[in-house]
Amino acid sequence: MERISEPAVVTAVFSTGTRDRLLTFLTPNQGGVRLFARRLPLRGAARRFIEPLQGGELVFDRPREGGQGRLHSFVPQRVWPGIRSNFERTCQAIAFLELVTLSITEGDPQPELFMQLVGVLNRLEDEKRPGLARIIATLRLLVTGGFAPRLESCVGCRTVVSPGTGVLFSPEGGGGVCRACLPLRQEATLP
């Protein structure tokens, strides 16, 4: 097995038994990395577990074809205390981590997604409106994944829309809706 070391952010942790956990990391050069880890039976303050919202240096053994990779070590270097100390920021960060976890491709380099995740977490550290920051980050994540909403024309009549004309955004329709088409559409819209 080849040993790999690179920066990573823990995006998800799933318990798979009384002592085992499946850890999901996002790395810039390996993309998603899913590894099983056993909890160590440590006592008192020495008890440490890997959890989401930790960034650090991941060292693991690359799996052989059809095999399972092995976690060698993960040294947390960033835990984003501003996010952890504020409930709303924590909720918004966890919601974004779930979207990132769903977007991860294992084994494919994803440096843009990695940098976007670290940037969003850094921004949420002291963001006054974390909900809005997460929505903006989610839209950017959709663009990165190739699912950009249509904003240059109405999703109903396909006419070009101009800024300042009262266009509303339809999440269900996947883009902007002009005022003429609004009465004909049934989905909810946002300003």
Side-chain angles (χ1 to χ4, degrees):
M1 289 188 171
E2 174 188 2
R3 184 153 292 170
I4 298 171
S5 174
E6 72 173 302
V9 174
V10 182
T11 62
V13 176
F14 299 102
S15 293
T16 59
T18 57
R19 298 184 53 103
D20 296 339
R21 300 192 310 166
L22 176 63
L23 307 170
T24 303
F25 298 91
L26 176 61
T27 67
N29 299 315
Q30 304 299 315
V33 177
R34 290 187 172 93
L35 302 167
F36 279 100
R38 290 185 178 267
R39 294 187 200 180
L40 298 175
L42 302 175
R43 293 182 192 90
R47 182 174 285 207
R48 280 191 167 178
F49 301 113
I50 298 172
E51 57 188 30
L53 283 177
Q54 289 182 336
E57 190 67 24
L58 172 66
V59 179
F60 68 101
D61 294 326
R62 181 193 303 262
R64 294 183 183 138
E65 272 191 50
Q68 181 65 41
R70 195 177 119 222
L71 175 67
H72 186 270
S73 67
F74 179 72
V75 179
Q77 298 167 338
R78 184 75 198 263
V79 294
W80 292 281
I83 293 173
R84 292 172 179 272
S85 65
N86 181 288
F87 182 70
E88 185 179 359
R89 290 181 193 147
T90 301
C91 290
Q92 299 302 333
I94 294 294
F96 190 71
L97 281 180
E98 288 180 10
L99 290 172
V100 168
T101 301
L102 293 172
S103 304
I104 289 175
T105 304
E106 290 186 56
D108 289 336
Q110 294 182 298
E112 187 176 344
L113 181 59
F114 180 79
M115 293 306 295
Q116 185 176 6
L117 173 59
V118 171
V120 168
L121 294 176
N122 287 340
R123 181 172 179 188
L124 284 174
E125 270 286 274
D126 57 4
E127 179 64 44
K128 302 287 187 242
R129 299 186 326 176
L132 179 61
R134 186 198 41 87
I135 289 170
I136 291 168
T138 299
L139 289 172
R140 289 183 178 148
L141 179 66
L142 290 171
V143 170
T144 301
F147 297 102
R150 177 181 289 163
L151 300 175
E152 69 281 351
S153 64
C154 174
V155 295
C157 63
R158 309 261 189 252
T159 59
V160 176
V161 293
S162 302
T165 59
V167 176
L168 299 173
F169 180 72
S170 167
E172 186 179 332
V177 178
C178 68
R179 293 282 181 190
C181 291
L182 188 59
L184 306 172
R185 302 193 61 91
Q186 298 299 315
E187 70 263 9
T189 55
L190 305 168

